Amino acid sequence: MNKHIDRRRFSACLALTAVATAALLTGCGKVPDTIKIGVAQPLSGPLGALGQDLLNGVKLAVDELNKSGYTVDGKRVTLEVVSVDDKADAATGKAVAQQLVDAGVVAVIGHLNSGVSIETAPIYAAKDIAQIAISTNPKFTQLGFPTTFRMVGNDTLQARAIGSFAATQLGATRYAALDDGTPYGKGLADGAAQQLKTEKKEVLVRKSYDDKTVAFDELAGELKAAKVEVIVSTLNDFQALALLEALRKVDHTKVSLLGGDTIKTTDMTKGAGIVQGIYATSPVLEAKEFTTGKPFLEKYIAAYKKPPAYGGHYSYDSTYVLSAAIQKAKSADPKEITKAMHSINGYAPVIGTMTWDDKGEQRYGAVGVYELRAGSWELRMRSDRW
């Protein structure tokens, strides 16, 4: 009996030794117990709800992955979220980006604002850390860094969507293009105006304002005098509402307004019925538009007691694709993870797939066009080939 017990103990010892040796041989030594993922978004201020939504998407994915027994190169690994508040400010963004680097994150999901993403990109690139941003300014991926990745379609695609939809779907010949003076707004309006010209449409009024202007009486008179039928605008929602009121005062309401993301808001519903039609474009498609969006929405609401505010499903999907890239790299080395990101055709639970070209542009990014009807935004059409 004793000999039998001894042999069992001896065999167990050998088995444990073999397992330990195998673990070393399979590279477990180079994979840490915990892998840190950075999240840099505006978590306070006017854009705090959007930034928190993006953070929530990452946290939801990480919780699921950890509960599922996530492994890298055969080793059980815990994913940890390290979040910072960039306050939608470039200087703050650079400071918190360095904090994430110093904390040892292997990749960063951030930032929301293009200006912040562009300014922080060199900090991440210096350490080969992949940066997955929802920012849409084309300059972000034109910096020449292999570490820049975009979750959605960029402003070039959105500008084409605005110009193309306005030219082909709204039955007009006389157009105006307005912007809010920001790099985002001006660039988008310039691109849309160029697309209109390509479509042989006449842009009779082209104006640029700051992002606070709400005095549009003079502009309304000018639009009426020019007999403008469609207004392409990248003004903010409160500015667009002020413009609609000014148009009503001069009795020039047989027009359509087509804007960007900044008017696709709940507040914009106050303008319903003032003009013939109100439309908005966005590269951030809503979760409910995807066939697998419903399960995500149910899980999100169960976790946070409210629906997503913006693009939480994109950051959720990005986290899953990043986790697959880490597994493909078989490493927590940021440089190896970045390489894997460029070669992966990643499964994205909500939108279907995420894959990038050599610059980090989303290969299948799409832009949707929405119409304001009965107090809500309804999808009219979407395409990745505007």
Coordinates of all heavy atoms in Angstrom, one line a residue, residues 163-243:
G163 N -21.6 65.1 -49.9 CA -21.7 65.7 -51.2 C -22.5 64.8 -52.1 O -23.4 65.3 -52.9
S164 N -22.3 63.5 -52.1 CA -22.9 62.6 -53.0 C -24.4 62.5 -52.7 O -25.3 62.6 -53.6 CB -22.3 61.2 -52.9 OG -23.0 60.3 -53.8
F165 N -24.8 62.4 -51.4 CA -26.2 62.3 -51.0 C -26.9 63.6 -51.4 O -28.0 63.6 -51.9 CB -26.3 62.0 -49.5 CG -27.8 61.7 -49.1 CD1 -28.3 60.5 -49.2 CD2 -28.5 62.8 -48.6 CE1 -29.7 60.3 -48.8 CE2 -29.8 62.6 -48.2 CZ -30.4 61.4 -48.3
A166 N -26.3 64.7 -51.0 CA -26.9 66.0 -51.3 C -27.1 66.2 -52.8 O -28.2 66.8 -53.2 CB -26.0 67.1 -50.8
A167 N -26.2 65.7 -53.6 CA -26.3 65.9 -55.1 C -27.3 65.0 -55.7 O -28.0 65.4 -56.7 CB -24.9 65.7 -55.7
T168 N -27.4 63.8 -55.2 CA -28.2 62.7 -56.0 C -29.5 62.4 -55.3 O -30.4 61.9 -56.0 CB -27.4 61.4 -56.1 OG1 -27.1 60.9 -54.8 CG2 -26.0 61.6 -56.8
Q169 N -29.7 62.8 -54.1 CA -30.9 62.3 -53.4 C -31.9 63.5 -53.0 O -33.0 63.2 -52.6 CB -30.6 61.5 -52.1 CG -29.7 60.3 -52.4 CD -30.3 59.3 -53.2 OE1 -31.5 58.9 -53.0 NE2 -29.6 58.7 -54.2
L170 N -31.4 64.7 -53.1 CA -32.3 65.8 -52.6 C -32.9 66.6 -53.7 O -33.5 67.7 -53.4 CB -31.5 66.7 -51.6 CG -31.0 65.9 -50.3 CD1 -30.2 66.8 -49.4 CD2 -32.2 65.3 -49.6
G171 N -32.6 66.3 -54.9 CA -33.3 66.9 -56.1 C -33.1 68.4 -56.1 O -34.1 69.2 -56.4
A172 N -31.9 68.9 -56.0 CA -31.6 70.3 -55.9 C -30.5 70.7 -56.9 O -29.8 69.8 -57.4 CB -31.3 70.8 -54.5
T173 N -30.4 72.0 -57.2 CA -29.3 72.5 -58.0 C -28.5 73.6 -57.4 O -27.4 73.9 -57.8 CB -29.9 73.0 -59.4 OG1 -30.8 74.1 -59.1 CG2 -30.5 71.9 -60.2
R174 N -29.1 74.2 -56.3 CA -28.4 75.4 -55.7 C -28.1 75.1 -54.2 O -29.0 74.7 -53.4 CB -29.4 76.6 -55.8 CG -29.8 76.9 -57.2 CD -30.9 78.0 -57.3 NE -30.3 79.3 -57.0 CZ -29.7 80.1 -57.9 NH1 -29.6 79.7 -59.2 NH2 -29.3 81.3 -57.6
Y175 N -26.8 75.2 -53.9 CA -26.3 74.7 -52.6 C -25.6 75.8 -51.8 O -25.0 76.7 -52.4 CB -25.4 73.5 -52.8 CG -26.1 72.3 -53.3 CD1 -26.4 72.2 -54.7 CD2 -26.5 71.2 -52.5 CE1 -27.0 71.0 -55.2 CE2 -27.1 70.1 -53.0 CZ -27.4 70.0 -54.4 OH -28.0 68.9 -54.9
A176 N -25.5 75.6 -50.5 CA -24.6 76.4 -49.6 C -23.8 75.4 -48.8 O -24.3 74.3 -48.5 CB -25.4 77.3 -48.7
A177 N -22.6 75.8 -48.4 CA -21.8 75.0 -47.5 C -21.3 75.9 -46.4 O -20.7 76.9 -46.6 CB -20.6 74.4 -48.3
L178 N -21.6 75.4 -45.1 CA -21.2 76.2 -43.9 C -20.4 75.3 -43.0 O -20.6 74.1 -42.9 CB -22.5 76.6 -43.2 CG -23.6 77.2 -44.1 CD1 -24.9 77.5 -43.2 CD2 -23.2 78.5 -44.7
D179 N -19.5 75.9 -42.3 CA -18.7 75.2 -41.3 C -18.5 76.0 -40.0 O -18.8 77.2 -40.0 CB -17.4 74.7 -41.8 CG -16.4 75.8 -42.1 OD1 -15.8 76.4 -41.1 OD2 -16.1 76.2 -43.2
D180 N -18.0 75.3 -39.0 CA -17.9 75.9 -37.6 C -16.5 76.4 -37.4 O -16.1 76.8 -36.2 CB -18.3 75.0 -36.5 CG -17.4 73.8 -36.4 OD1 -16.5 73.6 -37.3 OD2 -17.6 73.0 -35.5
G181 N -15.6 76.4 -38.4 CA -14.3 77.0 -38.2 C -13.2 76.0 -37.6 O -12.1 76.3 -37.6
T182 N -13.7 74.9 -37.1 CA -12.7 73.9 -36.5 C -12.1 73.1 -37.6 O -12.6 73.0 -38.7 CB -13.5 72.9 -35.6 OG1 -14.4 72.1 -36.3 CG2 -14.2 73.7 -34.4
P183 N -10.9 72.5 -37.3 CA -10.3 71.7 -38.4 C -11.2 70.6 -38.9 O -11.3 70.3 -40.1 CB -9.1 71.1 -37.7 CG -8.7 72.1 -36.6 CD -10.0 72.7 -36.2
Y184 N -12.0 70.0 -38.0 CA -12.9 68.9 -38.3 C -14.0 69.5 -39.2 O -14.3 69.0 -40.4 CB -13.5 68.3 -37.1 CG -14.8 67.6 -37.4 CD1 -14.8 66.3 -37.9 CD2 -16.1 68.1 -37.1 CE1 -15.9 65.6 -38.2 CE2 -17.2 67.4 -37.4 CZ -17.2 66.1 -37.9 OH -18.3 65.5 -38.2
G185 N -14.7 70.6 -38.8 CA -15.8 71.1 -39.5 C -15.4 71.7 -40.8 O -16.1 71.5 -41.9
K186 N -14.3 72.5 -40.9 CA -13.9 73.1 -42.1 C -13.5 72.1 -43.1 O -13.8 72.2 -44.3 CB -12.8 74.1 -41.9 CG -12.5 75.0 -43.0 CD -11.5 76.1 -42.7 CE -11.4 77.1 -43.8 NZ -11.1 76.5 -45.1
G187 N -12.7 71.1 -42.7 CA -12.2 70.1 -43.6 C -13.3 69.3 -44.2 O -13.3 69.0 -45.4
L188 N -14.3 69.0 -43.4 CA -15.5 68.2 -43.8 C -16.3 69.0 -44.8 O -16.7 68.5 -45.8 CB -16.3 67.8 -42.6 CG -17.3 66.7 -42.8 CD1 -16.7 65.4 -43.4 CD2 -18.0 66.3 -41.5
A189 N -16.6 70.3 -44.5 CA -17.3 71.1 -45.4 C -16.6 71.3 -46.7 O -17.3 71.3 -47.8 CB -17.7 72.4 -44.7
D190 N -15.3 71.6 -46.7 CA -14.5 71.7 -47.9 C -14.6 70.5 -48.8 O -14.8 70.6 -50.0 CB -13.1 72.0 -47.6 CG -12.8 73.4 -47.1 OD1 -13.7 74.3 -47.3 OD2 -11.7 73.7 -46.5
G191 N -14.5 69.3 -48.2 CA -14.6 68.1 -48.9 C -16.0 67.9 -49.5 O -16.1 67.4 -50.7
A192 N -17.0 68.2 -48.8 CA -18.4 68.1 -49.3 C -18.6 69.0 -50.4 O -19.3 68.7 -51.4 CB -19.4 68.3 -48.2
A193 N -18.1 70.3 -50.3 CA -18.3 71.3 -51.4 C -17.6 70.8 -52.6 O -18.1 71.0 -53.8 CB -17.8 72.6 -50.9
Q194 N -16.4 70.2 -52.5 CA -15.7 69.7 -53.6 C -16.4 68.6 -54.3 O -16.5 68.5 -55.5 CB -14.3 69.2 -53.2 CG -13.4 68.8 -54.3 CD -13.2 69.9 -55.4 OE1 -12.8 71.0 -55.1 NE2 -13.5 69.5 -56.6
Q195 N -17.0 67.7 -53.5 CA -17.8 66.6 -54.1 C -19.0 67.1 -54.8 O -19.4 66.6 -55.9 CB -18.2 65.6 -52.9 CG -19.0 64.4 -53.4 CD -18.2 63.5 -54.3 OE1 -16.9 63.4 -54.1 NE2 -18.8 62.8 -55.2
L196 N -19.6 68.2 -54.3 CA -20.8 68.8 -55.0 C -20.3 69.3 -56.4 O -21.1 69.1 -57.4 CB -21.4 69.9 -54.2 CG -22.3 69.4 -53.0 CD1 -22.6 70.6 -52.0 CD2 -23.6 68.8 -53.5
K197 N -19.2 69.9 -56.4 CA -18.7 70.5 -57.7 C -18.4 69.3 -58.6 O -18.6 69.4 -59.8 CB -17.5 71.3 -57.4 CG -17.8 72.6 -56.7 CD -16.5 73.4 -56.4 CE -16.9 74.7 -55.6 NZ -15.6 75.5 -55.2
T198 N -17.8 68.2 -58.1 CA -17.6 67.1 -58.9 C -18.8 66.5 -59.5 O -18.9 66.0 -60.7 CB -16.9 66.0 -58.1 OG1 -15.6 66.5 -57.6 CG2 -16.6 64.7 -58.9
E199 N -19.9 66.7 -58.8 CA -21.2 66.2 -59.2 C -22.0 67.2 -60.1 O -23.2 67.1 -60.3 CB -22.1 65.8 -58.0 CG -21.5 64.8 -57.1 CD -22.0 63.4 -57.4 OE1 -22.7 63.2 -58.4 OE2 -21.5 62.5 -56.7
K200 N -21.2 68.3 -60.4 CA -21.8 69.4 -61.3 C -22.9 70.2 -60.6 O -23.8 70.6 -61.3 CB -22.3 68.8 -62.6 CG -21.3 67.9 -63.4 CD -20.0 68.6 -63.7 CE -19.1 67.7 -64.5 NZ -17.7 68.3 -64.8
K201 N -22.8 70.3 -59.3 CA -23.7 71.1 -58.6 C -23.1 72.5 -58.2 O -21.9 72.5 -58.0 CB -24.2 70.4 -57.3 CG -24.9 69.1 -57.6 CD -26.2 69.2 -58.4 CE -26.9 67.9 -58.6 NZ -28.1 68.0 -59.4
E202 N -23.9 73.5 -58.1 CA -23.4 74.8 -57.8 C -23.5 75.2 -56.3 O -24.5 75.2 -55.7 CB -24.2 75.9 -58.6 CG -23.6 77.2 -58.7 CD -24.4 78.2 -59.7 OE1 -25.4 77.8 -60.1 OE2 -23.8 79.3 -59.9
V203 N -22.3 75.5 -55.8 CA -22.2 76.0 -54.4 C -22.2 77.5 -54.4 O -21.2 78.1 -54.7 CB -21.0 75.4 -53.7 CG1 -20.9 75.9 -52.2 CG2 -21.0 73.9 -53.7
L204 N -23.4 78.1 -54.1 CA -23.5 79.6 -54.3 C -23.1 80.3 -53.0 O -22.7 81.5 -53.1 CB -25.0 79.9 -54.6 CG -25.5 79.3 -55.9 CD1 -27.0 79.3 -55.9 CD2 -25.0 80.2 -57.1
V205 N -23.1 79.7 -51.9 CA -22.7 80.4 -50.6 C -21.8 79.4 -49.9 O -22.1 78.3 -49.6 CB -23.9 80.7 -49.7 CG1 -23.5 81.3 -48.4 CG2 -24.9 81.6 -50.5
R206 N -20.6 79.9 -49.6 CA -19.6 79.2 -48.8 C -19.1 80.0 -47.7 O -18.4 81.0 -47.9 CB -18.4 78.7 -49.7 CG -17.3 78.0 -49.0 CD -17.8 76.6 -48.5 NE -16.7 75.9 -47.8 CZ -16.7 75.8 -46.5 NH1 -17.6 76.5 -45.8 NH2 -15.7 75.1 -45.9
K207 N -19.5 79.7 -46.4 CA -19.2 80.5 -45.3 C -18.6 79.7 -44.1 O -18.9 78.5 -43.9 CB -20.5 81.1 -44.7 CG -21.2 82.1 -45.7 CD -20.5 83.5 -45.6 CE -21.3 84.5 -46.5 NZ -20.7 85.8 -46.4
S208 N -17.7 80.4 -43.4 CA -17.1 79.7 -42.2 C -17.3 80.6 -41.0 O -17.1 81.9 -41.1 CB -15.6 79.6 -42.5 OG -14.9 78.9 -41.4
Y209 N -17.7 80.0 -39.9 CA -18.0 80.8 -38.7 C -17.1 80.1 -37.6 O -16.4 79.2 -37.8 CB -19.4 80.7 -38.3 CG -20.3 81.3 -39.3 CD1 -20.8 80.6 -40.4 CD2 -20.7 82.7 -39.3 CE1 -21.6 81.2 -41.4 CE2 -21.5 83.3 -40.2 CZ -22.0 82.5 -41.3 OH -22.8 83.1 -42.2
D210 N -17.2 80.7 -36.4 CA -16.6 80.0 -35.2 C -17.6 79.0 -34.7 O -18.7 78.9 -35.2 CB -16.0 81.0 -34.2 CG -17.1 81.8 -33.5 OD1 -18.3 81.3 -33.4 OD2 -16.9 83.0 -33.2
D211 N -17.2 78.3 -33.7 CA -18.1 77.2 -33.2 C -19.0 77.7 -32.1 O -19.6 76.9 -31.4 CB -17.3 76.0 -32.7 CG -16.3 76.4 -31.6 OD1 -16.2 77.6 -31.2 OD2 -15.6 75.5 -31.1
K212 N -19.2 79.0 -32.0 CA -20.1 79.6 -31.0 C -21.2 80.5 -31.6 O -22.1 80.8 -30.9 CB -19.3 80.3 -29.9 CG -18.4 79.4 -29.1 CD -17.6 80.2 -28.1 CE -16.6 79.3 -27.3 NZ -15.6 78.6 -28.1
T213 N -21.0 80.9 -32.8 CA -21.9 81.8 -33.5 C -23.3 81.3 -33.5 O -23.5 80.2 -33.9 CB -21.4 82.2 -34.9 OG1 -20.1 82.8 -34.8 CG2 -22.4 83.1 -35.6
V214 N -24.3 82.2 -33.2 CA -25.7 81.8 -33.3 C -26.5 82.9 -33.9 O -27.7 82.8 -34.1 CB -26.3 81.5 -31.9 CG1 -25.7 80.2 -31.4 CG2 -26.1 82.6 -30.9
A215 N -25.8 84.0 -34.4 CA -26.5 85.1 -35.0 C -26.4 84.9 -36.5 O -25.4 85.2 -37.2 CB -25.8 86.4 -34.6
F216 N -27.5 84.4 -37.1 CA -27.5 84.0 -38.5 C -28.6 84.8 -39.3 O -28.9 84.3 -40.4 CB -27.8 82.5 -38.6 CG -26.6 81.7 -38.1 CD1 -26.8 80.8 -37.0 CD2 -25.4 81.8 -38.7 CE1 -25.8 80.1 -36.6 CE2 -24.3 81.0 -38.2 CZ -24.5 80.2 -37.2
D217 N -29.1 85.9 -38.9 CA -30.1 86.7 -39.6 C -29.6 87.1 -41.0 O -30.2 87.0 -42.0 CB -30.6 87.9 -38.8 CG -31.5 87.5 -37.7 OD1 -31.8 86.3 -37.6 OD2 -31.8 88.3 -36.8
E218 N -28.4 87.7 -41.0 CA -27.8 88.1 -42.2 C -27.5 86.9 -43.2 O -27.8 87.0 -44.4 CB -26.4 88.8 -41.9 CG -25.8 89.4 -43.2 CD -24.5 90.1 -42.9 OE1 -24.2 90.5 -41.7 OE2 -23.7 90.3 -43.8
L219 N -27.0 85.8 -42.7 CA -26.8 84.6 -43.5 C -28.2 84.2 -44.1 O -28.2 83.8 -45.3 CB -26.2 83.5 -42.7 CG -26.1 82.2 -43.4 CD1 -25.2 82.2 -44.6 CD2 -25.5 81.1 -42.4
A220 N -29.2 84.1 -43.3 CA -30.5 83.7 -43.8 C -31.0 84.5 -44.9 O -31.5 84.0 -45.9 CB -31.5 83.7 -42.6
G221 N -30.8 85.8 -44.8 CA -31.1 86.7 -46.0 C -30.3 86.4 -47.2 O -30.9 86.4 -48.3
E222 N -29.1 86.1 -47.0 CA -28.2 85.8 -48.1 C -28.6 84.5 -48.8 O -28.6 84.3 -50.0 CB -26.7 85.7 -47.7 CG -25.7 85.6 -48.8 CD -24.3 85.6 -48.3 OE1 -24.1 86.0 -47.1 OE2 -23.4 85.3 -49.1
L223 N -28.9 83.5 -48.0 CA -29.4 82.2 -48.5 C -30.7 82.3 -49.3 O -30.9 81.7 -50.4 CB -29.6 81.2 -47.4 CG -28.3 80.8 -46.6 CD1 -28.7 79.9 -45.4 CD2 -27.3 80.0 -47.5
K224 N -31.6 83.2 -48.8 CA -32.8 83.4 -49.5 C -32.6 84.1 -50.8 O -33.2 83.7 -51.9 CB -33.8 84.2 -48.6 CG -35.1 84.5 -49.3 CD -36.1 85.2 -48.4 CE -37.4 85.4 -49.1 NZ -38.4 86.1 -48.2
A225 N -31.7 85.1 -50.8 CA -31.4 85.9 -52.0 C -30.8 85.0 -53.1 O -31.0 85.1 -54.3 CB -30.5 87.1 -51.7
A226 N -30.0 84.0 -52.7 CA -29.3 83.1 -53.6 C -30.2 81.9 -54.0 O -29.8 81.1 -54.8 CB -28.0 82.6 -53.0
K227 N -31.4 81.9 -53.4 CA -32.4 80.8 -53.7 C -31.8 79.4 -53.4 O -32.0 78.5 -54.2 CB -32.9 80.9 -55.1 CG -33.6 82.2 -55.4 CD -34.1 82.2 -56.9 CE -34.8 83.5 -57.2 NZ -35.3 83.6 -58.6
V228 N -31.0 79.3 -52.3 CA -30.4 78.1 -52.0 C -31.5 77.0 -51.6 O -32.4 77.3 -50.8 CB -29.4 78.3 -50.8 CG1 -29.0 77.0 -50.1 CG2 -28.2 79.0 -51.3
E229 N -31.3 75.8 -52.1 CA -32.3 74.8 -51.8 C -31.8 73.7 -50.8 O -32.6 73.1 -50.1 CB -32.6 74.0 -53.1 CG -33.1 74.9 -54.2 CD -33.0 74.2 -55.6 OE1 -31.9 74.3 -56.2 OE2 -34.0 73.6 -56.0
V230 N -30.4 73.5 -50.7 CA -29.9 72.6 -49.8 C -28.7 73.3 -49.1 O -27.8 73.8 -49.7 CB -29.4 71.3 -50.5 CG1 -28.6 70.4 -49.5 CG2 -30.5 70.6 -51.1
I231 N -28.7 73.2 -47.8 CA -27.6 73.7 -46.9 C -26.8 72.5 -46.4 O -27.3 71.7 -45.6 CB -28.2 74.5 -45.8 CG1 -29.0 75.7 -46.3 CG2 -27.0 75.1 -44.9 CD1 -29.9 76.4 -45.2
V232 N -25.6 72.5 -46.8 CA -24.6 71.5 -46.3 C -23.9 72.2 -45.1 O -23.3 73.2 -45.3 CB -23.6 71.0 -47.3 CG1 -22.5 70.2 -46.7 CG2 -24.3 70.1 -48.4
S233 N -23.9 71.6 -43.9 CA -23.4 72.3 -42.7 C -22.7 71.3 -41.8 O -23.1 70.2 -41.6 CB -24.6 72.9 -42.0 OG -24.3 73.2 -40.7
T234 N -21.6 71.9 -41.3 CA -20.9 71.2 -40.2 C -21.0 72.0 -38.9 O -20.1 71.9 -38.0 CB -19.4 70.8 -40.5 OG1 -18.7 72.1 -40.8 CG2 -19.4 69.9 -41.7
L235 N -22.0 72.9 -38.8 CA -22.2 73.6 -37.6 C -22.7 72.7 -36.5 O -23.2 71.6 -36.7 CB -23.3 74.7 -37.8 CG -23.0 75.8 -38.8 CD1 -24.2 76.6 -39.1 CD2 -21.8 76.7 -38.4
N236 N -22.6 73.1 -35.2 CA -23.1 72.3 -34.1 C -24.6 72.4 -34.1 O -25.2 73.2 -34.7 CB -22.5 72.9 -32.8 CG -21.0 72.7 -32.7 OD1 -20.5 71.5 -32.7 ND2 -20.3 73.8 -32.7
D237 N -25.2 71.5 -33.3 CA -26.7 71.4 -33.3 C -27.3 72.7 -32.9 O -28.3 73.2 -33.5 CB -27.2 70.2 -32.4 CG -26.6 70.2 -31.0 OD1 -25.9 71.2 -30.6 OD2 -27.0 69.3 -30.2
F238 N -26.8 73.4 -31.8 CA -27.4 74.6 -31.3 C -27.3 75.7 -32.4 O -28.1 76.6 -32.5 CB -26.8 75.0 -30.0 CG -25.4 75.4 -30.0 CD1 -25.0 76.7 -30.2 CD2 -24.4 74.5 -29.8 CE1 -23.6 77.1 -30.2 CE2 -23.0 74.8 -29.8 CZ -22.7 76.1 -30.1
Q239 N -26.2 75.7 -33.2 CA -26.0 76.7 -34.2 C -27.0 76.4 -35.4 O -27.6 77.3 -36.0 CB -24.6 76.6 -34.8 CG -23.5 77.0 -33.7 CD -22.1 77.0 -34.3 OE1 -21.6 75.9 -34.6 NE2 -21.5 78.1 -34.4
A240 N -27.1 75.1 -35.7 CA -28.1 74.7 -36.8 C -29.5 75.1 -36.4 O -30.2 75.6 -37.3 CB -28.0 73.2 -37.1
L241 N -29.9 74.9 -35.2 CA -31.2 75.3 -34.7 C -31.4 76.8 -34.8 O -32.5 77.3 -35.2 CB -31.4 74.9 -33.3 CG -31.6 73.4 -33.1 CD1 -31.5 73.0 -31.6 CD2 -32.9 72.9 -33.7
A242 N -30.4 77.6 -34.5 CA -30.4 79.1 -34.6 C -30.6 79.5 -36.1 O -31.3 80.4 -36.4 CB -29.2 79.7 -34.0
L243 N -29.9 78.8 -36.9 CA -30.0 79.1 -38.4 C -31.4 78.8 -38.9 O -32.0 79.5 -39.7 CB -29.0 78.2 -39.1 CG -29.1 78.3 -40.7 CD1 -28.9 79.8 -41.2 CD2 -28.0 77.4 -41.3

